[in-house]
Amino acid sequence: MEQKHPLPPFTLETAKQKIQMAEDAWNSQNPEKVSMAYTVNSEWRNRNLFINGRKEIVRFLTEKWAKELDYKLKKEYWAHTDNRIAVRFEYEYRNQKGKWFRAYGNENWEFDENGLMKMRYASINDLEINETDRYL
């Protein structure tokens, strides 16, 4: 059986560990690596998009990182329960025209008993910034 430690139920320490693992994976900008943290039939809401399963996750992230250049993400613990974690996040990126943006928002995660994320709901806002305003 495929497992991704730490497993639920989460403690404060293991929730923060799971968050750091997610941050590190997303900052790798490796869609296949990121997708392995999710169940085969994982459900996402990302802004106004609904994404289902690892194949769609890989396709979505491949397209995302082709458009969001110099991507850098920071996730922060918000709350947790037995098999759920909520995070605040922000990331910065440059588009292909050279304009810089900071995206920020919240994610709610739900995990299965094997520590794989089965649901991810992300609310995200983008703000155009000057390159001199970057801090990530």
Side-chain angles (χ1 to χ4, degrees):
M1 181 58 70
E2 186 178 13
Q3 291 188 322
K4 189 76 167 179
H5 290 269
L7 305 177
F10 298 116
T11 64
L12 176 60
E13 180 182 345
T14 60
K16 287 183 175 182
Q17 182 182 1
K18 202 73 151 172
I19 293 165
Q20 187 62 57
M21 291 168 63
E23 179 183 309
D24 293 345
W26 279 68
N27 278 325
S28 77
Q29 298 180 47
N30 180 331
E32 291 80 15
K33 177 182 179 178
V34 171
S35 74
M36 296 309 292
Y38 300 89
T39 61
V40 173
N41 59 350
S42 181
E43 297 177 22
W44 284 21
R45 183 184 60 75
N46 196 86
R47 291 186 168 92
N48 64 335
L49 300 176
F50 294 87
I51 301 160
N52 294 287
R54 286 182 180 164
K55 287 182 182 180
E56 288 186 21
I57 291 170
V58 169
R59 183 172 41 251
F60 169 79
L61 293 175
T62 299
E63 292 171 4
K64 171 186 177 64
W65 289 322
K67 296 182 288 188
E68 296 180 1
L69 310 174
D70 300 315
Y71 176 93
K72 177 69 175 166
L73 167 73
K74 181 66 182 152
K75 293 186 182 284
E76 181 180 279
Y77 173 85
W78 182 262
H80 79 282
T81 62
D82 293 335
N83 71 330
R84 294 178 177 174
I85 299 173
V87 299
R88 296 183 295 192
F89 66 88
E90 60 187 334
Y91 63 90
E92 294 175 348
Y93 65 93
R94 176 180 54 83
N95 70 13
Q96 294 174 338
K97 294 180 180 179
K99 293 186 183 272
W100 282 94
F101 295 85
R102 181 175 301 119
Y104 54 94
N106 301 298
E107 291 179 332
N108 296 309
W109 302 341
E110 184 175 343
F111 295 85
D112 71 5
E113 64 279 358
N114 294 305
L116 296 169
M117 195 181 302
K118 63 182 181 178
M119 288 189 233
R120 173 187 172 266
Y121 298 106
S123 297
I124 307 168
N125 298 296
D126 292 292
L127 174 67
E128 187 173 337
I129 61 173
N130 294 317
E131 185 173 7
T132 55
D133 295 329
R134 293 182 57 225
Y135 57 80
L136 293 180

